[in-house]
Amino acid sequence: MTEAVPPTPTSDFVRDEIRVDIEAGTYGGRVQTRFPPEPNGHLHIGHAKAICVDFGIADDFDGRCNLRLDDTNPDVEEVEFVDSIQEDIAWLGYEPASVRFASDYFEQLYAWAERLVEQGKAYVDEQDGETISAQRGGYGKPGIESPYRDRPVEENLTELRRMRAGEYPDGSRVLRAKIDMQSENMQLRDPVMYRIRHSHHHRTGDTWFIYPTYDWAHGQSDAVEGVTHSLCTLEFRSNRPLYDWYLAHLPLEQTAPKQREFARLELTHTVTSKRRLRALVEDGIVDGWDDPRMPTLSGLRRRGYPPAAIREFCAYIGLTRTNSRHDIELLESFVRTHLNRTSQRRMAVLRPLEVVVDNWPSNDDGTPYVDHFDVVNNPENPDDGTRSVPFTGRLFIERDDFAEVPPPKFFRLSPGREVRLRGAYLVTCTDVEKNDAGEVTRVHVTMDPESRGGTAPDGRKVKSTMHWVSAEHAVDARVALYERLFSAPIPGERTGDAMDDLDPASVELLDAKVEPALADTAPGEVVQFERLGYFAHDPRTPMLFHRTVGLRDEWANIQKRAAR
C-alpha cells in the first residue's frame, strides 16, 4: 500500500509573514488567530482545513486561537449548529483558547457604527436592496450615489437609533459606510453595515432589531479580541481593503490585525456550499447533516474517517495562494493508511451464499463438531494479538466468490476447484443446489482434514484464499455501501447545477452475516472486513456498519496512470 506522507510544515507564506512580524515586534511577539464559522449548518471538509490552519498556526507559535461564532444572521442560525461546531473542533483534536460570539460585541459594534456616522463616514439609506445593488454598478461600470448619501449627521443618527429601537420594518432601511462609489473594488462602494431583522436571536433574544453584516462584525471582533492574524480563504481577498478601512477609522488601542488569505479546500465529487448541503438535508435527499455520504465533519465522523488522517491530509496539501481541486482519492489514501495501522481485522460476508462441508465430523452425541482458529487481529500491530473464530460444517461465503461456470482468470470457488478458507482448511467444490429459477442456493464441498490452518501437508499450492463465517455462529448485521454522492468529478460543470449530478444509487444497504467478534465492536469503532474494506460501526444503531473506504488504493493507481 502506498502511503502519502505529509511534509514537515516548516514554511509557507503565512508562517513566513508571521515570523517577520514576530522579529519586527509588530504585535509584541504575540500570535493570535481565530476560527469564525457562522452557526447556520454543520462544518464540512473545507472547514477542516481552516481549523487546521487557524489552530495549527497558533500552536506552532505558542499563540492562542479562539473559536468565534459569527452569529449575525438570526434567521438561519440555531443552537444545534453551535453545539455541532464545538463537537467537530474537539473531534479534530483542537481546543479553543476561548469560545466567543460576534453577539458578545453587538454593543461595541453599534457604538463604533455611531462613531462612523458622527464622522460623516456612514449614513442610513432608505432604498430597497434591489435598488442599492443596481446602483453599485459593476466592474467597469460606474456606481450611482444614493440620494441619502449626504443627509445630515444628526438625521443619520436619529434614523440609526430608530432602526435599533425596532421602529422600522425589515428591509426598509440599512446603514451603509460612505467610502467610494467609483472604486474599482466593488466591496468599497458604500457597503452595508447593518440591516433590520425582527428575528429572535438564539443568544440575545429579542433585544436587537438590527444586525451587523459579516464585513462590519468580522474585523472589529478581531480587534476586540486582540487577534493578530485574521486568516481566511481567497474569496475574501477583495474584502481585505474594506477590512483595513474599517479598522483604520476606529480608535483601536493596539496594532490592527492583518487579514491574510489562502486557498480553500475543494475536492472532486464534492459540494461544500452550505446552501446546497442544507438543500440536501431539507429535501430529504440525505438522512441529515451527519449522513455518511455528506462531506460534513459529522458525516465523515459517522462514516469512520479518523481525525488524524484529516489533519495529515490538510498538512500535506499545505497553504497556497491559488485555488485548486484535489482528488478525493488522495484524502481517502490518508484514511486508508491510518486505518490499516489501527483497525482490527474481522470476517464478514455481505452477500451470503451457504456452503456445506459434506465430510465435516460430528461429535459423539451426533451434534456438529465446532473447531476454533486463532486469527491475527491486525498484522500491522502484533501487540493486538489474536482472536478465536469458530468453524463448523456449514458456512457462509461471498456469493461473488463462487462461479458455477468460472470466467477466465477466476481462481475462487467453482466445481472441482480447491481453495483456502482463511486460516482454516482447504476445500474443494463437489456439487451445487439450485432453486426453480436456476440460481445456486447452496454449495457442497469436501475439506482436506490434513490441511488445518489452511496449509496442505504435501505443500500443494492454491491460488485463492477466501473469507467465511460459520453459519451456526453468524451474527446478523446491516451494511451500508456508498458510492460518490455526486457522480461527476466537478458537480455542476456540465449543466451549471450541481444537483444534476446527484447519484440516485449512492447507497446500498445489505443484510450481512458477520463473525461473533463483531457483536462486541464499540459504537463508532472502525474495523477492516477482510478482503472488503474498512467499516465503521454506527454510533447510534447497533450492528449497522458504514463502509469508510475500500481496500484498493485508488490514489496510487491515479498516480501510476499520470506517470505513464
Side-chain angles (χ1 to χ4, degrees):
M1 182 176 296
T2 301
E3 292 192 19
V5 180
T8 302
T10 55
S11 179
D12 55 56
F13 72 97
V14 173
R15 287 175 170 85
D16 289 346
E17 182 168 337
I18 290 175
R19 290 187 181 96
V20 170
D21 286 336
I22 291 174
E23 292 174 1
T26 305
Y27 298 101
R30 217 170 41 84
V31 174
Q32 183 171 327
T33 60
R34 83 292 166 267
F35 175 59
E38 183 180 359
N40 62 351
H42 284 226
L43 300 182
H44 53 66
I45 186 63
H47 292 114
K49 178 179 178 180
I51 291 170
C52 291
V53 169
D54 289 325
F55 285 90
I57 284 179
D59 289 343
D60 288 350
F61 294 97
D62 294 324
R64 56 182 285 139
C65 178
N66 291 343
L67 166 63
R68 184 175 71 243
L69 285 302
D70 175 35
D71 56 342
T72 56
N73 187 355
D75 293 336
V76 295
E77 295 161 0
E78 300 177 20
V79 174
E80 171 200 342
F81 301 138
V82 173
D83 294 340
S84 73
I85 287 169
Q86 296 186 70
E87 291 171 5
D88 288 343
I89 292 173
W91 175 69
L92 272 179
Y94 297 105
E95 182 179 356
S98 63
V99 177
R100 308 287 183 89
F101 294 81
S103 55
D104 293 338
Y105 314 126
F106 278 0
E107 286 291 352
Q108 179 64 79
L109 292 171
Y110 178 80
W112 278 341
E114 283 207 357
R115 180 184 177 89
L116 290 183
V117 170
E118 291 167 351
Q119 294 174 341
K121 299 186 181 302
Y123 62 96
V124 173
D125 195 334
E126 297 179 30
Q127 300 179 107
D128 60 69
E130 185 176 338
T131 300
I132 291 174
S133 179
Q135 288 178 348
R136 292 180 71 234
Y139 295 105
K141 182 180 178 180
I144 299 173
E145 293 186 354
S146 166
Y148 298 95
R149 196 171 195 264
D150 295 321
R151 72 193 312 169
V153 167
E154 288 304 319
E155 187 177 330
N156 278 317
L157 281 175
T158 297
E159 288 297 309
L160 177 58
R161 289 165 182 169
R162 294 183 69 183
M163 286 170 59
R164 174 177 178 168
E167 296 183 19
Y168 298 126
D170 290 3
S172 61
R173 286 162 175 74
V174 295
L175 180 69
R176 299 175 68 181
K178 185 191 290 188
I179 306 180
D180 184 358
M181 284 300 294
Q182 308 309 320
S183 173
E184 293 183 0
N185 186 329
M186 299 298 295
Q187 306 300 326
L188 298 179
R189 293 191 179 186
D190 290 11
V192 173
M193 297 171 61
Y194 275 98
R195 66 272 200 237
I196 301 173
R197 291 281 190 279
H198 287 74
S199 301
H200 182 82
H201 189 279
H202 68 96
R203 293 189 74 241
T204 62
D206 300 315
T207 304
W208 289 88
F209 301 102
I210 58 173
Y211 290 91
T213 59
Y214 173 84
D215 283 318
W216 173 237
H218 181 60
Q220 287 52 256
S221 298
D222 286 345
V224 171
E225 292 180 12
V227 168
T228 59
H229 299 84
S230 183
L231 309 176
C232 54
T233 46
L234 287 175
E235 63 264 35
F236 293 100
R237 180 163 46 191
S238 61
N239 297 58
R240 193 203 293 186
L242 178 58
Y243 182 97
D244 293 340
W245 188 91
Y246 280 140
L247 292 173
H249 289 84
L250 297 177
L252 304 182
E253 297 179 356
Q254 68 282 328
T255 304
K258 293 181 179 180
Q259 176 178 302
R260 293 296 180 264
E261 308 85 19
F262 58 89
R264 64 184 296 165
L265 171 56
E266 294 283 3
L267 292 172
T268 56
H269 300 281
T270 304
V271 165
T272 55
S273 160
K274 274 192 181 179
R275 177 177 61 84
R276 295 194 183 279
L277 296 179
R278 180 185 291 273
L280 291 173
V281 174
E282 294 179 348
D283 294 345
I285 296 171
V286 297
D287 298 326
W289 287 94
D290 67 345
D291 186 299
R293 293 168 291 175
M294 290 279 274
T296 55
L297 296 186
S298 55
L300 297 177
R301 178 164 66 248
R302 190 175 174 200
R303 187 163 176 167
Y305 273 48
I310 295 176
R311 295 195 304 269
E312 290 166 5
F313 168 72
C314 291
Y316 181 81
I317 62 175
L319 293 180
T320 65
R321 291 188 174 95
T322 305
N323 281 325
S324 60
R325 193 179 299 269
H326 298 277
D327 290 305
I328 194 170
E329 292 85 358
L330 175 59
L331 170 59
E332 290 172 342
S333 74
F334 279 91
V335 173
R336 186 179 296 106
T337 297
H338 184 90
L339 293 177
N340 183 56
R341 295 192 304 262
T342 61
S343 65
Q344 302 283 292
R345 274 50 168 172
R346 298 290 185 262
M347 289 193 286
V349 176
L350 305 190
R351 296 175 175 86
L353 175 62
E354 185 180 355
V355 173
V356 176
V357 184
D358 289 332
N359 61 334
W360 187 250
S362 298
N363 294 316
D364 293 340
D365 60 2
T367 58
Y369 173 67
V370 179
D371 202 352
H372 288 84
F373 294 93
D374 288 334
V375 181
V376 173
N377 284 321
N378 185 344
E380 300 293 322
N381 286 318
D383 291 343
D384 285 347
T386 62
R387 68 190 185 283
S388 179
V389 181
F391 185 98
T392 59
R394 197 166 67 89
L395 311 166
F396 291 118
I397 65 169
E398 292 290 346
R399 186 164 293 275
D400 291 345
D401 279 342
F402 176 80
E404 187 178 14
V405 181
K409 298 184 179 180
F410 183 88
F411 300 116
R412 287 163 283 171
L413 193 62
S414 60
R417 176 166 292 158
E418 186 177 51
V419 299
R420 177 184 295 105
L421 296 181
R422 167 91 163 89
Y425 292 97
L426 302 183
V427 299
T428 302
C429 175
T430 58
D431 197 8
V432 299
E433 297 180 33
K434 300 181 181 181
N435 59 19
D436 293 341
E439 300 168 329
V440 175
T441 57
R442 182 177 291 116
V443 175
H444 290 265
V445 301
T446 58
M447 63 94 177
D448 180 352
E450 302 299 320
S451 64
R452 189 177 189 281
T455 303
D458 60 4
R460 67 182 184 275
K461 303 296 184 182
V462 296
K463 292 187 175 181
S464 181
T465 299
M466 296 163 25
H467 64 280
W468 50 271
V469 172
S470 166
E472 307 295 335
H473 303 84
V475 176
D476 291 331
R478 291 276 279 171
V479 174
L481 303 181
Y482 299 104
E483 300 298 334
R484 311 291 187 208
L485 184 57
F486 292 90
S487 57
I490 304 178
E493 183 180 40
R494 180 176 54 87
T495 66
D497 187 350
M499 298 303 184
D500 291 337
D501 291 316
L502 275 170
D503 181 357
S506 57
V507 61
E508 180 182 11
L509 286 172
L510 302 175
D511 293 313
K513 300 291 186 180
V514 303
E515 67 166 272
L518 277 167
D520 297 326
T521 307
E525 182 181 354
V526 181
V527 297
Q528 184 194 105
F529 288 179
E530 297 205 25
R531 300 176 63 226
L532 300 175
Y534 297 93
F535 291 77
H537 192 191
D538 189 81
R540 298 190 296 272
T541 306
M543 300 312 293
L544 169 62
F545 291 85
H546 307 284
R547 181 168 63 187
T548 308
V549 289
L551 292 179
R552 181 182 303 171
D553 191 345
E554 297 177 62
W555 174 245
N557 293 333
I558 290 173
Q559 289 178 306
K560 288 177 182 177
R561 289 195 296 269
R564 290 173 184 169

Coordinates of all heavy atoms in Angstrom, one line a residue, residues 3 59 88 116 146 217 223 232 266 306 312 322 324-325 332 364 376 424 433 492 504 540 547:
E3 N 1.8 4.9 0.9 CA 1.4 5.9 1.9 C 1.8 7.3 1.4 O 2.9 7.5 0.9 CB 2.2 5.6 3.2 CG 1.8 4.3 3.9 CD 2.3 4.2 5.3 OE1 2.7 5.2 5.8 OE2 2.4 3.1 5.8
D59 N -0.7 27.1 17.5 CA 0.2 26.1 18.2 C 1.6 26.2 17.8 O 2.5 26.1 18.7 CB -0.3 24.7 17.9 CG -1.7 24.3 18.6 OD1 -2.1 25.1 19.5 OD2 -2.3 23.4 18.2
D88 N -17.2 19.2 16.5 CA -16.3 18.9 15.4 C -14.9 19.4 15.7 O -13.9 18.7 15.3 CB -16.8 19.6 14.1 CG -18.1 19.0 13.6 OD1 -18.4 17.8 14.0 OD2 -18.8 19.6 12.8
L116 N -18.8 56.3 13.4 CA -18.6 56.5 11.9 C -19.6 57.5 11.4 O -19.3 58.3 10.5 CB -18.6 55.2 11.1 CG -17.4 54.2 11.4 CD1 -17.6 53.0 10.5 CD2 -16.1 54.9 11.1
S146 N -26.3 57.1 -3.7 CA -27.6 57.1 -3.1 C -28.1 58.6 -2.8 O -27.3 59.4 -2.5 CB -27.6 56.4 -1.8 OG -28.8 56.6 -1.0
A217 N -18.9 43.2 11.2 CA -18.6 42.5 12.5 C -17.2 41.8 12.6 O -16.6 41.7 13.6 CB -19.7 41.4 12.7
A223 N -10.4 42.8 16.3 CA -9.7 43.8 17.1 C -10.0 43.8 18.6 O -9.1 43.9 19.4 CB -10.0 45.2 16.5
C232 N -8.2 33.7 6.3 CA -9.4 33.4 5.7 C -9.1 32.9 4.3 O -7.9 33.0 3.8 CB -10.4 34.5 5.7 SG -9.7 36.0 5.0
E266 N -11.0 22.3 -1.9 CA -12.0 21.8 -2.8 C -11.6 20.3 -3.2 O -10.5 20.1 -3.5 CB -12.1 22.6 -4.1 CG -12.7 24.0 -3.8 CD -14.2 24.1 -3.6 OE1 -14.8 23.0 -3.5 OE2 -14.7 25.2 -3.4
P306 N -10.8 8.9 10.4 CA -10.1 9.2 11.6 C -9.7 10.7 11.6 O -9.2 11.2 10.5 CB -8.8 8.3 11.6 CG -9.1 7.3 10.5 CD -10.1 8.0 9.5
E312 N -3.6 15.1 8.8 CA -2.4 14.8 8.0 C -2.6 15.2 6.5 O -1.7 15.7 5.8 CB -2.1 13.3 8.1 CG -1.6 12.9 9.4 CD -1.6 11.4 9.6 OE1 -1.9 10.6 8.6 OE2 -1.3 10.9 10.7
T322 N -3.3 29.9 -4.6 CA -4.0 29.6 -5.8 C -5.0 28.5 -5.5 O -4.6 27.4 -5.0 CB -3.1 29.1 -7.0 OG1 -2.1 30.1 -7.2 CG2 -3.9 28.9 -8.2
S324 N -7.3 25.3 -6.1 CA -7.2 24.1 -6.9 C -8.2 23.1 -6.3 O -8.6 23.2 -5.2 CB -5.8 23.6 -7.0 OG -5.3 23.2 -5.7
R325 N -8.4 22.0 -7.1 CA -9.3 21.0 -6.6 C -8.5 19.7 -6.5 O -7.8 19.2 -7.4 CB -10.4 20.8 -7.7 CG -11.6 19.9 -7.1 CD -12.7 19.8 -8.2 NE -13.2 21.1 -8.6 CZ -14.3 21.6 -8.0 NH1 -14.9 21.0 -7.0 NH2 -14.7 22.8 -8.3
E332 N -8.8 9.9 0.7 CA -9.1 8.5 1.1 C -7.8 7.7 1.3 O -7.8 6.8 2.2 CB -9.9 7.9 0.0 CG -11.4 8.4 -0.1 CD -12.1 7.9 -1.3 OE1 -11.5 7.4 -2.2 OE2 -13.4 8.0 -1.2
D364 N -19.6 -37.2 19.3 CA -20.1 -38.5 19.7 C -21.6 -38.5 19.9 O -22.3 -39.5 19.7 CB -19.4 -39.0 21.0 CG -18.0 -39.3 20.7 OD1 -17.6 -39.4 19.6 OD2 -17.2 -39.3 21.7
V376 N -5.1 -13.6 13.5 CA -4.5 -12.4 13.9 C -5.4 -11.2 13.7 O -6.2 -11.1 12.7 CB -3.2 -12.1 13.0 CG1 -2.6 -10.8 13.2 CG2 -2.2 -13.2 13.2
A424 N -8.3 -21.7 8.0 CA -9.0 -22.9 8.4 C -8.6 -24.1 7.6 O -7.6 -24.8 8.0 CB -10.5 -22.6 8.2
E433 N -26.6 -26.8 -5.2 CA -28.1 -26.9 -5.3 C -28.6 -25.6 -5.8 O -28.1 -24.5 -5.7 CB -28.6 -27.1 -3.8 CG -28.2 -28.4 -3.2 CD -28.8 -28.5 -1.7 OE1 -29.9 -28.0 -1.5 OE2 -28.1 -29.1 -0.9
G492 N -21.9 19.9 -11.4 CA -22.5 21.0 -12.0 C -21.7 21.6 -13.2 O -22.1 22.5 -13.8
P504 N -28.5 8.8 -7.8 CA -29.6 8.3 -7.0 C -29.4 7.0 -6.4 O -30.1 6.5 -5.5 CB -30.7 8.2 -8.1 CG -29.9 8.0 -9.4 CD -28.7 8.8 -9.2
R540 N -25.1 5.1 16.7 CA -26.4 5.1 17.3 C -27.2 3.8 17.0 O -28.0 3.4 17.9 CB -27.2 6.3 16.7 CG -26.7 7.7 17.0 CD -27.7 8.7 16.7 NE -27.9 8.8 15.2 CZ -27.2 9.5 14.4 NH1 -26.2 10.2 14.8 NH2 -27.6 9.5 13.1
R547 N -19.4 1.6 5.2 CA -18.1 1.4 4.5 C -17.4 2.8 4.5 O -17.9 3.7 3.9 CB -18.3 0.9 3.1 CG -16.9 0.7 2.5 CD -17.0 -0.1 1.2 NE -17.8 0.6 0.2 CZ -18.1 0.0 -1.0 NH1 -17.7 -1.2 -1.3 NH2 -18.8 0.7 -1.9

